[in-house]
């Protein structure tokens, strides 16, 4: 039996980190639960104190295929390298023309830097760009391949 799963990211500012990943993945804000017109209405009906309303954010695949991602505010900051990270596979594969692949990778990297990410390293296989390692606004690593 397959187990349904989602991904949760601990962070200091759920809305900032969610906005970055929304751009990175092409996801959209998760709609309010069925029966509620808005998250604000749901939070109020669930008696969540208003000072906690910004403690979480949630994204969903607009096609409904890939897992949802939640972002939860935690008191501690990131202190070590991720043991798990996402590879954003935008390049099209190593068999694709290198110039096309590099353009796709660099274009996506540029969008993510504009969204608050930063480049940590570029990795090459000889003279060919293999992937770029980035950090999201709070330092969580990801690769653009």
């Amino acid at each position: 039996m397959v187990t349904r799963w989602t991904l949760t990211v601990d962070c200091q500012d759920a809305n900032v980190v969610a906005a970055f990943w929304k751009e990175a993945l092409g996801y959209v804000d998760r709609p309010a639960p069925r029966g509620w017109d808005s998250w604000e209405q749901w939070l109020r009906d669930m008696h969540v104190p208003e000072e906690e309303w910004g403690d979480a954010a949630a994204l969903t695949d607009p096609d409904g295929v890939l897992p949802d991602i939640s972002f939860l505010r935690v008191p501690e900051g990131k202190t070590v390298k991720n043991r798990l990270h996402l590879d954003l596979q935008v390049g099209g594969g190593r068999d694709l023309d290198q110039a096309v692949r590099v353009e796709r990778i660099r274009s996506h990297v540029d969008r993510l830097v504009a969204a608050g990410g930063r480049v940590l390293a570029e990795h090459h296989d000889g003279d060919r760009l293999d992937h770029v390692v980035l950090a999201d606004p709070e330092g969580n690593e990801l690769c653009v391949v």
Side-chain angles (χ1 to χ4, degrees):
M1 177 170 137
V2 173
T3 301
R4 179 167 156 65
W5 62 277
T6 62
L7 180 66
T8 301
V9 178
D10 290 347
C11 53
Q12 299 276 294
D13 190 326
N15 291 316
V16 167
V17 178
F20 173 86
W21 285 99
K22 190 170 162 178
E23 180 69 25
L25 301 173
Y27 272 40
V28 296
D29 293 322
R30 186 183 312 154
R34 204 171 315 143
W36 283 270
D37 293 330
S38 69
W39 278 106
E40 183 177 300
Q41 182 185 48
W42 184 88
L43 290 164
R44 190 170 279 116
D45 288 352
M46 295 299 116
H47 308 288
V48 176
E50 283 191 45
E51 61 270 12
E52 294 178 17
W53 288 11
D55 287 358
L59 302 178
T60 194
D61 170 11
D63 297 326
V65 176
L66 299 173
D68 287 350
I69 304 174
S70 298
F71 302 86
L72 299 177
R73 188 176 72 76
V74 297
E76 67 279 354
K78 182 179 179 302
T79 58
V80 297
K81 181 184 181 302
N82 296 7
R83 293 297 303 236
L84 173 72
H85 69 268
L86 298 183
D87 284 348
L88 308 185
Q89 299 177 354
V90 302
R94 290 185 176 143
D95 57 328
L96 191 67
D97 177 75
Q98 179 67 1
V100 172
R101 190 166 175 274
V102 167
E103 168 56 31
R104 289 178 178 177
I105 291 171
R106 292 210 187 281
S107 175
H108 206 73
V109 166
D110 290 346
R111 284 183 35 222
L112 297 183
V113 168
R118 70 182 188 285
V119 173
L120 300 178
E122 283 193 8
H123 292 270
H124 296 265
D125 181 11
D127 62 346
R128 297 171 58 98
L129 177 64
D130 184 63
H131 65 282
V132 178
V133 180
L134 286 94
D136 75 8
E138 292 194 4
N140 299 300
E141 296 91 3
L142 63 138
C143 293
V144 179
V145 181

